[in-house]
Amino acid sequence: MNRQQGIGMTSMRTRVRLIERLSEQGITDVAVLDLIQSTPRHLFVEEALSHRAYEDRSLPIGFGQTISQPYIVAKMTALLFENGPLEKVLEIGTGSGYQTALLAPLSKQVFTTERIAPLQQRSKALLHTMGIRNVHFALSDGGLGLEQKAPFDGIISTCAPEEIPESLLNQLSPEGGRLVIPVGRQEQMLMLVTRDGDTFTHKAIEPVVFVPLLKGLVS
Ligand code: SAH
């Protein structure tokens, strides 16, 4: 029996419990809740931790990185797609690929950047196995955005810069582009920035804890 078949009833129950918990915490977006319920998070964590995959907590994925807590993944996804599906989305920090797998069904095209090559290879293979075909993987410093593919209708960062990089703002679509990003070092705040022409509106959402956005690639 492989891991996919091994999901079983227990895991189905823990998934349903996770969804109940997220809705109790104020996640009301049904599309997002459905996606979280149908996405096999246990495949995105190390096998030894897969029995904890449907707990509402972040877990290690190697290389000092973590798969984000489901609550915050749900919150950020709901913020990005508040007005419905988007055409072109950029993600900074592929990591395990879990957030990427949630972006794919809600976007026409997803571009995801990662600086640690082995993490990127693993998530690329996993998403391919899951039949997800509208994701393009880049090994690059996501803090620079992805100039050649800009503008983006949505940008989401799963690592925290000290300040919002200018390049991400510039690469937002002038027609309602949305950026969801944690900002800060010791204390971080989740921010939503929306763009209308040359006007950028910043909204503080809630305090969060993310790994830092770092420069330089790891092969
Ligand atoms: N979305 C991921 C979260 C992984 S943690 C998941 O659900 O698993 C954040 C990721 O951001 C890490 O993999 C880290 O290597 C990556 N990261 C940090 N700085 C980066 C940068 N400048 N460019 C691209 N990725 C970066």
Side-chain angles (χ1 to χ4, degrees), residues 50-107:
S50 57
H51 64 291
R52 309 197 60 179
Y54 300 98
E55 292 176 14
D56 188 23
R57 50 172 295 157
S58 64
L59 292 168
I61 55 171
F63 304 91
Q65 306 305 318
T66 52
I67 181 172
S68 310
Q69 180 193 2
Y71 166 76
I72 203 68
V73 172
K75 182 85 195 181
M76 291 171 77
T77 310
L79 282 169
L80 193 68
F81 299 100
E82 204 164 24
N83 303 326
L86 298 173
E87 293 274 314
K88 218 199 294 176
V89 168
L90 172 67
E91 178 189 34
I92 298 143
T94 315
S96 68
Y98 178 70
Q99 172 74 74
T100 325
L102 298 183
L103 298 175
L106 297 168
S107 318

Side-chain angles (χ1 to χ4, degrees), residues 61 65-68 91-99 113-116 119 140-143 158-159 211-214:
I61 55 171
Q65 306 305 318
T66 52
I67 181 172
S68 310
E91 178 189 34
I92 298 143
T94 315
S96 68
Y98 178 70
Q99 172 74 74
T113 65
E114 175 54 61
R115 60 181 284 275
I116 302 177
L119 278 179
S140 64
D141 178 359
T158 63
C159 47
V211 297
L213 183 147
L214 300 172

Side-chain angles (χ1 to χ4, degrees), residues 15-24 33 36-37:
R15 286 196 203 190
V16 170
R17 226 176 285 135
L18 173 61
I19 297 308
E20 284 167 2
R21 192 189 147 106
L22 296 181
S23 21
E24 277 162 23
L33 290 173
I36 290 186
Q37 187 166 334

Side-chain angles (χ1 to χ4, degrees), residues 170-184:
N170 292 336
Q171 291 176 31
L172 275 182
S173 160
E175 286 106 44
R178 301 167 74 80
L179 168 64
V180 179
I181 187 166
V183 186

